[in-house]
Amino acid sequence: MTSPRFSRRSLLAGLGVSSALLPLLDIEPARGAAAAAPKRFCALVWPDGVVPNSYFPSGGETSFTLSDVLSPFEAHRDKIIILDNIENRPMMDQFPNYGGHASLPYLLTGGPAKHFTSGEDGAIGDSMSLDQYIANELQKRSPTPIHSIVTGVDNKEERDSTTKYVSFSGPASGNQPNAPAVQDDVHALYKKLFGSTTGGTMTDTSLVRLRAERKSILDLVASDLQRFGRRVGTGGQSKIDAHLTAIRNIEQQLDVIGPATMLAPPKDDSTIDSFSKEQYDKISKVQVDMVVSAFASNLTRVATMLWSNGHNNSWVFYWLGDEFRQPGDGSFNPLRSQHEMAHRGMAGGDDTRRKNTLDKWFVSQFAYFAGECKKITEYGKTMLDNSVLLFANNMGEGASHTNQRLP
């Protein structure tokens, strides 16, 4: 027997409980005895390559020894896969005579690019990137309030649109990339994530209260279903029992997830200047903290962090010591910039040591990101267990702008 009266939507409407309430629970339906944990993806990209012999580990596939540059990953060695001999084949096939900075748009697309504006230095992505594809698919299956997050550190500093994007929604429009807006103002990003009705401004107490209210909604639906079940025949009772089972599964998921998943957002630190070149370390850390909180609160499940463009001429590593803030050779910045240090990275001595030091700092930031994800427990595992995190550079060896052995 098929009747609108017994459809799920009609049944809930008849009980006075809108079917729109259940999506507000923000929980995926259970599959059998175990609930399906939310899956998440994040890519953190930094430019200018590495010193390959200093970067890659030695040893076997599982018995590897991390290099000093990769040593911040030691706490996560049982959860990492370090790939080697990866080439930027799409770029090498399309433009075999180019390299270096134009490689950025290929990194997450694996597809073609267009519009080289200044030789090897500029290209626009001309296909969808991995992060946006994943976000689109996840939105179809289990929508989140925010499609995805794309952050950058002082992205406005780079005016050339061919070297400031790594995330693309699709083919380019003429000479302009079809790319999500890069969020480089940490205060604007905070407001977008946590300053609206998405719930981010809640205190710990109000988060617990919200969880209790959601459970009370389930209890109301369950009691109404049971009362309604006494008025239907055997055939209708089986459908009601199925609804009750689904409701109890959702309640169990709320119990398994616990209050930790409803993570209170980080504080919006008013002392941080989103465009201060001396605060890039603080800006990047707070971007990580906000992405982790957005993941844990299920505001979104996909994020991309580009630190910060295809050149990083403005990156002077003030926080790494006096030698990093001294005058450079003047080729890209009056002070020693990341771009300059990349060009000198294979020279040996202090030049190589400084290049390895700055790359180790980027590794440490990604390790911090993984560590924060590991602190959050959900579905009997950690949020890190339920995530795929990608750490990648658009060049192999920075001094010669190679497209082989991408880290």
Side-chain angles (χ1 to χ4, degrees), residues 254-268:
L254 287 174
D255 290 334
V256 171
I257 293 172
T261 301
M262 294 181 178
L263 189 68
K267 303 297 183 184
D268 186 12

Side-chain angles (χ1 to χ4, degrees), residues 117-177:
T117 56
S118 53
E120 67 167 340
D121 277 354
I124 293 176
D126 202 26
S127 56
M128 183 178 291
S129 55
L130 176 66
D131 59 314
Q132 293 303 298
Y133 175 83
I134 293 173
N136 289 346
E137 292 301 308
L138 289 178
Q139 286 295 99
K140 294 176 186 176
R141 302 174 190 179
S142 183
T144 53
I146 296 173
H147 175 272
S148 58
I149 302 172
V150 180
T151 74
V153 177
D154 198 2
N155 191 254
K156 292 182 176 64
E157 168 66 21
E158 180 55 59
R159 293 174 176 82
D160 188 348
S161 63
T162 66
T163 58
K164 63 186 295 182
Y165 297 103
V166 73
S167 178
F168 300 94
S169 301
S173 176
N175 291 334
Q176 294 301 314

Side-chain angles (χ1 to χ4, degrees), residues 183-195 267-275 279 283 286-287 290:
Q183 304 284 337
D184 57 356
D185 183 339
V186 294
H187 305 295
L189 178 61
Y190 184 92
K191 183 176 181 180
K192 175 182 178 180
L193 293 176
F194 310 115
K267 303 297 183 184
D268 186 12
D269 187 349
S270 60
T271 66
I272 294 178
D273 180 349
S274 296
F275 308 106
Q279 295 188 18
I283 298 167
V286 78
Q287 287 182 354
M290 284 193 282

Side-chain angles (χ1 to χ4, degrees), residues 189-366:
L189 178 61
Y190 184 92
K191 183 176 181 180
K192 175 182 178 180
L193 293 176
F194 310 115
S196 67
T197 55
T198 54
T201 55
M202 295 180 181
T203 63
D204 291 339
T205 302
S206 58
L207 286 170
V208 172
R209 184 172 66 250
L210 173 63
R211 181 172 177 271
E213 289 171 352
R214 288 175 171 178
K215 289 197 69 173
S216 70
I217 291 173
L218 291 177
D219 290 339
L220 173 63
V221 173
S223 63
D224 283 345
L225 280 172
Q226 289 173 327
R227 189 164 55 252
F228 185 74
R230 291 192 290 267
R231 294 156 46 194
V232 301
T234 304
Q237 184 64 52
S238 63
K239 293 183 179 181
I240 291 173
D241 289 342
H243 279 295
L244 285 169
T245 300
I247 289 169
R248 294 309 170 197
N249 282 335
I250 293 174
E251 285 185 323
Q252 291 172 7
Q253 290 179 58
L254 287 174
D255 290 334
V256 171
I257 293 172
T261 301
M262 294 181 178
L263 189 68
K267 303 297 183 184
D268 186 12
D269 187 349
S270 60
T271 66
I272 294 178
D273 180 349
S274 296
F275 308 106
S276 169
K277 294 169 178 46
E278 297 187 21
Q279 295 188 18
Y280 280 2
D281 58 329
K282 296 179 181 179
I283 298 167
S284 57
K285 180 182 179 297
V286 78
Q287 287 182 354
V288 168
D289 290 339
M290 284 193 282
V291 167
V292 170
S293 185
F295 277 0
S297 304
N298 214 25
L299 292 175
T300 189
R301 296 181 185 175
V302 177
T304 307
M305 293 184 276
L306 173 60
W307 294 350
S308 165
N309 54 67
H311 298 96
N312 275 17
N313 294 331
S314 294
W315 279 71
V316 175
F317 292 76
Y318 297 92
W319 54 94
L320 292 182
D322 290 340
E323 65 176 320
F324 287 89
R325 59 173 73 99
Q326 292 176 355
D329 61 19
S331 53
F332 306 106
N333 188 306
L335 302 179
R336 281 192 176 120
S337 70
Q338 181 180 345
H339 195 171
E340 176 190 323
M341 286 188 281
H343 274 268
R344 302 176 66 90
M346 299 296 288
D350 288 340
D351 287 317
T352 299
R353 177 182 55 79
R354 280 191 288 264
K355 178 68 169 81
N356 289 334
T357 298
L358 71 87
D359 286 326
K360 184 177 180 179
W361 180 82
F362 281 108
V363 172
S364 73
Q365 300 309 291
F366 190 69

